[in-house]
Amino acid sequence: MESDIPAGQRVVSGMRPTGRLHLGHYHGVIKNWVKLQHSQECFFFVADWHALTTHYSETDGLEDHVWEMVVDWLACGVSPGASTLFVQSQVPEHAELHLLLSMFTPLSWLERVPSYKEMQEQTDRDLATYGFLGYPLLQAADILMYKAQLVPVGEDQAAHVEFTREVARRFNHLYGQEEGFAKRAESLIDRLGRNEARLYREYRRRFQEKGDSQALEVAREMLRGQQSISLGDLQRLDGYLEGEWRMILPEPAEYLTTAPKVPGVDGRKMSKSYNNTLGLREEPDVIQKKLMGMMTDPARKRRSDPGDPEKCPVWDLHKIYSDPQTLEWVEEGCRSAGIGCTDCKRRLLDAMVAELDPIRASAAEYLSDRAGVNALIHEGCEAARDVARDTLEDVSEAMGLDYA
Ligand code: TRP
Ligand code: SF4
């Protein structure tokens, strides 16, 4: 699916600040952001309030974690020139939207989100809080605030994006209805211009009669290209494609990315909580030490035992970092016991260090320029707030709160 998304879509994604990133974050998320930022209109942010929903009593390290994570993003090539980078808590409009959405979000929807029960069962932290229950709604506010069309997330977050769609739909049903809607929409169509009007009606019919969602997409694309039309009327035409209400908050889609498998040194998924990570910024000698102790195919007890790369986590890392010749050398040498695991790991180390060196160097530069980085973030927050204020104005008007 990666190549067939049209350019210029609104993309929003956030990451909880857990401090310095590891290779799992890098290959799973950040590389993908770096790619998307060039073709899409991207908003990337530090979800620091989300960190509080689970770690409300450990706020001491928070500032550091935010800082270290932003430095890592920049060092990896997430660019403030190509995307909007910000910190959630510095765009307090997120809290206002969260509050407004909370008024009509059924408790049962929140209790039903799979991560709610799962996380409570998996940890001995106190998660019986209002904030933790509201986690997905805060995330919905993050996404709807920017009227995002696409949310790049891992599989584990798909339920949150689905929940966001439900919240958007409920909002539009509740606040997007008005008297004489259909008549108004029809007269708006007539004003689109002959060709567009014909196409709009054709796409609408194709969607409503045959459920053709492609037609819906094309019609939306066409509407976005319309120049002399007010936002409210655009929302009417957008909503009329599907039903009889204004589409004030568009429903976002999740963008599931195909990330390579990144095992930690013990062979399990790389994760801070397993204490098995390879840090993005770790010095070569630290990486070396960790790699040399990394688990291999358990069947290869002695140097003379042949092994099977498919049963070895070191191989998964080779597939990420090594060139085809090296991969062949590993496959052949491992299966025939022609190479030892130390030889194999040394080659991997060389390839990894070559890719990590420039990232570490770049991070060092950002680390020494705290004021510069803060200025970048400040600018990103201001840009995000401009968009956020527009959305809130829109939302307040729809909810009848624009009397101030
Ligand atoms: N919940 C996400 C995670 O744990 C982080 C997040 C917060 C997010 N708000 C978001 C991701 C909005 C995408 C869009 O990874
Ligand atoms: Fe793993 Fe390489 Fe050893 Fe084979 S030779 S078991 S791939 S480390």
Side-chain angles (χ1 to χ4, degrees):
M1 141 173 202
E2 309 230 343
S3 57
D4 59 45
I5 49 171
Q9 307 221 60
R10 269 287 172 82
V11 168
V12 170
S13 200
M15 214 188 234
R16 277 172 298 167
T18 47
R20 296 188 187 190
L21 300 186
H22 56 64
L23 297 184
H25 297 120
Y26 179 59
H27 296 288
V29 185
I30 303 298
K31 265 192 153 171
N32 187 49
W33 286 8
V34 171
K35 205 167 73 198
L36 281 170
Q37 69 185 349
H38 299 298
S39 55
Q40 314 296 336
E41 192 189 344
C42 294
F43 291 78
F44 298 131
F45 69 98
V46 181
D48 53 347
W49 281 340
H50 275 105
L52 291 181
T53 64
T54 50
H55 292 62
Y56 59 80
S57 63
E58 294 142 68
T59 55
D60 281 352
L62 196 56
E63 181 179 355
D64 244 22
H65 285 170
V66 172
W67 163 250
E68 298 281 356
M69 194 165 83
V70 169
V71 164
D72 277 338
W73 289 2
L74 295 170
C76 291
V78 181
S79 154
S83 56
T84 303
L85 301 183
F86 66 96
V87 177
Q88 186 184 39
S89 64
Q90 290 176 36
V91 184
E93 283 79 4
H94 286 232
E96 189 175 340
L97 185 57
H98 178 213
L99 176 95
L100 292 175
L101 300 178
S102 78
M103 298 304 168
F104 60 84
T105 300
L107 261 183
S108 60
W109 289 11
L110 286 162
E111 288 161 347
R112 238 195 293 126
V113 173
S115 57
Y116 183 61
K117 287 242 156 59
E118 277 166 24
M119 289 213 18
Q120 285 187 324
E121 280 157 16
Q122 281 164 18
T123 174
D124 35 24
R125 276 177 192 287
D126 165 31
L127 295 180
T129 58
Y130 184 51
F132 184 67
L133 179 67
Y135 186 113
L137 193 61
L138 182 56
Q139 185 163 351
D142 298 336
I143 296 167
L144 298 176
M145 187 62 104
Y146 302 94
K147 302 192 176 180
Q149 289 145 294
L150 278 187
V151 186
V153 285
E155 198 94 53
D156 62 318
Q157 296 288 314
H160 291 169
V161 182
E162 156 130 56
F163 169 82
T164 303
R165 281 197 292 275
E166 284 171 11
V167 172
R169 208 170 305 151
R170 187 157 162 90
F171 182 92
N172 294 326
H173 278 249
L174 279 169
Y175 305 112
Q177 300 200 15
E178 47 193 18
E179 252 184 57
F181 182 90
K183 233 177 115 193
R184 196 160 173 185
E186 286 293 339
S187 85
L188 283 171
I189 300 172
D190 290 332
R191 282 195 280 154
L192 279 177
R194 283 247 316 258
N195 204 33
E196 281 85 356
R198 187 183 55 78
L199 284 172
Y200 180 100
R201 291 199 164 97
E202 172 64 21
Y203 292 138
R204 178 170 185 266
R205 194 183 56 76
R206 289 225 301 255
F207 174 72
Q208 297 206 344
E209 288 174 12
K210 303 190 188 114
D212 181 348
S213 54
Q214 191 87 29
L216 197 60
E217 279 308 304
V218 183
R220 294 222 156 106
E221 194 64 40
M222 182 179 84
L223 286 177
R224 277 199 288 278
Q226 292 291 311
Q227 302 288 335
S228 55
I229 186 167
S230 74
L231 177 64
D233 285 345
L234 210 57
Q235 293 169 345
R236 289 182 182 95
L237 285 172
D238 199 350
Y240 191 54
L241 287 166
E242 281 186 65
E244 305 215 343
W245 54 81
R246 276 162 67 195
M247 188 72 88
I248 300 157
L249 297 175
E251 294 174 29
E254 60 268 23
Y255 177 54
L256 294 175
T257 47
T258 44
K261 189 170 158 199
V262 186
V265 292
D266 59 358
R268 290 188 289 177
K269 184 184 152 100
M270 190 177 289
S271 161
K272 202 173 168 184
S273 54
Y274 293 155
N275 204 8
N276 65 357
T277 62
L278 295 163
L280 191 61
R281 263 193 257 158
E282 272 167 348
E283 297 287 338
D285 58 326
V286 177
I287 302 266
Q288 173 169 8
K289 219 172 136 198
K290 288 187 175 179
L291 269 190
M292 289 307 159
M294 184 160 177
M295 189 193 141
T296 58
D297 175 3
R300 254 203 117 175
K301 287 196 186 64
R302 280 175 304 254
R303 167 73 175 76
S304 53
D305 294 330
D308 178 358
E310 298 306 330
K311 298 192 175 118
C312 176
V314 175
W315 174 242
D316 289 314
L317 294 180
H318 262 298
K319 282 190 282 191
I320 296 174
Y321 287 97
S322 297
D323 57 35
Q325 287 94 314
T326 307
L327 293 181
E328 219 182 288
W329 173 83
V330 174
E331 277 250 62
E332 211 279 317
C334 180
R335 291 185 198 283
S336 65
I339 61 169
C341 290
T342 309
D343 307 319
C344 180
K345 289 171 169 179
R346 199 168 293 283
R347 281 273 195 116
L348 171 63
L349 178 69
D350 290 344
M352 281 179 75
V353 168
E355 210 176 304
L356 293 176
D357 266 347
I359 295 178
R360 193 159 24 82
S362 174
E365 279 183 35
Y366 286 114
L367 281 170
S368 65
D369 181 19
R370 186 141 191 157
V373 173
N374 282 341
L376 290 177
I377 295 303
H378 184 75
E379 241 174 79
C381 291
E382 286 305 310
R385 288 190 82 173
D386 282 343
V387 180
R389 282 198 203 99
D390 280 349
T391 301
L392 270 178
E393 227 172 79
D394 224 22
V395 163
S396 300
E397 186 256 342
M399 292 180 83
L401 294 165
D402 52 343
Y403 41 75

